[in-house]
Amino acid sequence: MPLRTTNLHLVSDSTGETLNSIARATLSRFDDPHVVHHRWSLIRSRLQLDRVLEGIEAEPGPVLFTLVDRSLRLALEEHCRRLALECLSPLEPVMELLQNALGERAREKRGAQHVMDADYFRRIDAMHYVLAHDDGQGTAGIAEADVCIVGVSRSSKTPTCFYLANRGIKAANVPLVPGAPLPPELETAPCPVVGLHIETNALIEIRRHRLKLIGAHGVHHDTTDYVDHEAVKAEIQAARRLCTAHGWPVIDVTRRSIEETAATVLQLMEAWHARRGRAAAQAQQPEDPAAGVLKASP
C-alpha cells in the first residue's frame, strides 16, 4: 500500500522561522509523518502571493500562514476556501489572548522579531564571544562570561555554547583534559559553571566518528586513549569528580538534544542568580538591635 503524502504550505511575509518551528514541533508528535514542506517566505506583494496561490493549487494541502497585510491574508483565505483546504494563522489565538490581557492592539509590523535592536546586537556580541572563547581559548575573558560550560572532549560543549549565544548568552567553553590543570580564571569565575556529562559508550562512538571525519588513518581506533573504553571511562569519572569537588552542577547530555541541554543550562543560571540575590539581600539586612539585649539577658 503506497504511503500517503501530505503537502504542507508555510506562507510568511518574513523569514518563516516561526512557522518552521511550529510545524517541526507539531509534526514531531506523529509517527513517521510523510509531509512535503512548501516554504514560501518574504511574501509581501500581491504578485508574490499569486505565485503562492498557484503553488497551493498545483499541490493542494493545508496552509499555515503569518501575514500582516490584511488584503494578502484575506486573498489567501478566500483561495483556500475555494479549494476546500484548511488555512490557519497559528499566531492569531495567541495574539488575541495577549491583546485582551494587555488591553491594547498589536502593531501590524512584519518581521518585528528580526529588527536590529539592542537585543539583536547582544546576540551578535555573544556569538563573537563564543568564537573567541571556544575550547579553552581566551581564558582571561572568562571574567566577561555569563556562564562557563566544562566537560570532556566531544561532550557537546561547543554546539551548546553557540545555541546559548543565539539567546544572547556569553558562554565560555573550557575542556576538562586528563592531567591538565584548570585555568585559574575558572577557579574564581564570577558566573555559574556547568559541567556536561556523557556516558562512556556514547562518547566513544562520537569520538570514533570524529576520527573518521578528520581522516585519522594512522590512529588505531581500538588502542588510542581517545577511544579506549577504560581510559575514556576514567576520563569521564575524573571530570565528574572535579565538578562535584567544586560544587558545579552537571547535566547528563547522553540522550539530550542541544536545545534541551541549553534550556537546562538557562534554568541552572537562573537558580544561581536567585541564590546570589538571596544571599546579597540577607547580607544587607540590618541586625536586630534587640538581638544583643536578648543575648545578654540571664
Side-chain angles (χ1 to χ4, degrees):
M1 181 178 178
L3 294 172
R4 177 185 174 184
T5 299
T6 301
N7 293 303
L8 177 61
H9 295 270
L10 308 175
V11 186
S12 172
D13 53 19
S14 188
T15 63
E17 290 179 15
T18 299
L19 288 177
N20 285 331
S21 297
I22 292 172
R24 185 169 58 249
T26 307
L27 288 172
S28 67
R29 304 288 295 275
F30 295 88
D31 295 327
D32 194 24
H34 294 273
V35 176
V36 177
H37 292 78
H38 302 272
R39 297 180 175 87
W40 309 90
S41 58
L42 301 174
I43 305 303
R44 298 178 178 179
S45 70
R46 182 56 200 245
L47 181 62
Q48 292 172 320
L49 181 65
D50 285 342
R51 288 198 290 268
V52 174
L53 301 181
E54 291 172 4
I56 294 173
E57 192 161 352
E59 298 181 274
V63 178
L64 297 179
F65 71 90
T66 52
L67 297 172
V68 170
D69 189 298
R70 182 174 175 79
S71 64
L72 296 182
R73 287 160 48 191
L74 292 175
L76 176 61
E77 290 173 334
E78 176 59 28
H79 190 79
C80 289
R81 269 195 296 270
R82 289 205 309 270
L83 296 175
L85 296 174
E86 294 289 340
C87 183
L88 174 69
S89 174
L91 296 185
E92 285 300 318
V94 181
M95 197 75 70
E96 287 294 330
L97 182 149
L98 291 178
Q99 285 179 158
N100 293 335
L102 298 174
E104 62 177 284
R105 299 293 298 176
R107 293 174 298 160
E108 292 193 351
K109 183 179 180 181
R110 63 171 66 99
Q113 73 271 39
H114 300 302
V115 296
M116 291 192 293
D117 54 8
D119 183 63
Y120 172 84
F121 288 109
R122 183 167 61 90
R123 296 198 305 273
I124 297 301
D125 189 36
M127 285 287 185
H128 285 302
Y129 180 88
V130 169
L131 283 169
H133 299 83
D134 183 40
D135 206 23
Q137 299 179 78
T139 53
I142 286 177
E144 304 169 24
D146 297 314
V147 64
C148 290
I149 306 296
V150 300
V152 299
S153 174
R154 314 313 300 175
S155 57
S156 77
K157 299 186 301 299
T158 295
T160 299
C161 288
F162 274 105
Y163 189 89
L164 289 168
N166 196 44
R167 300 284 295 271
I169 304 296
K170 292 181 178 179
N173 165 355
V174 181
L176 300 180
V177 181
L182 286 175
E185 295 84 359
L186 189 62
E187 299 276 7
T188 57
C191 64
V193 179
V194 178
L196 302 186
H197 169 81
I198 184 170
E199 292 178 2
T200 304
N201 290 335
L203 181 57
I204 290 173
E205 286 303 310
I206 292 171
R207 288 183 173 183
R208 281 179 176 159
H209 182 65
R210 172 64 174 169
L211 289 175
K212 291 178 183 177
L213 286 178
I214 63 177
H217 300 298
V219 178
H220 197 291
H221 293 184
D222 294 325
T223 58
T224 175
D225 285 350
Y226 189 64
V227 292
D228 176 75
H229 188 277
E230 292 305 316
V232 172
K233 182 179 179 181
E235 182 182 353
I236 293 172
Q237 290 175 341
R240 190 69 182 254
R241 285 195 296 269
L242 184 66
C243 290
T244 301
H246 286 79
W248 298 334
V250 174
I251 303 171
D252 189 339
V253 301
T254 307
R255 296 173 184 83
R256 287 178 187 260
S257 66
I258 298 302
E259 293 85 351
E260 290 172 322
T261 300
T264 306
V265 170
L266 291 172
Q267 290 176 343
L268 293 172
M269 288 176 63
E270 291 177 2
W272 185 88
H273 285 292
R275 288 195 301 271
R276 297 265 292 197
R278 288 194 296 269
Q282 291 174 357
Q284 292 176 359
Q285 286 181 354
E287 185 178 350
D288 185 353
V293 176
L294 292 172
K295 289 179 181 177
S297 300

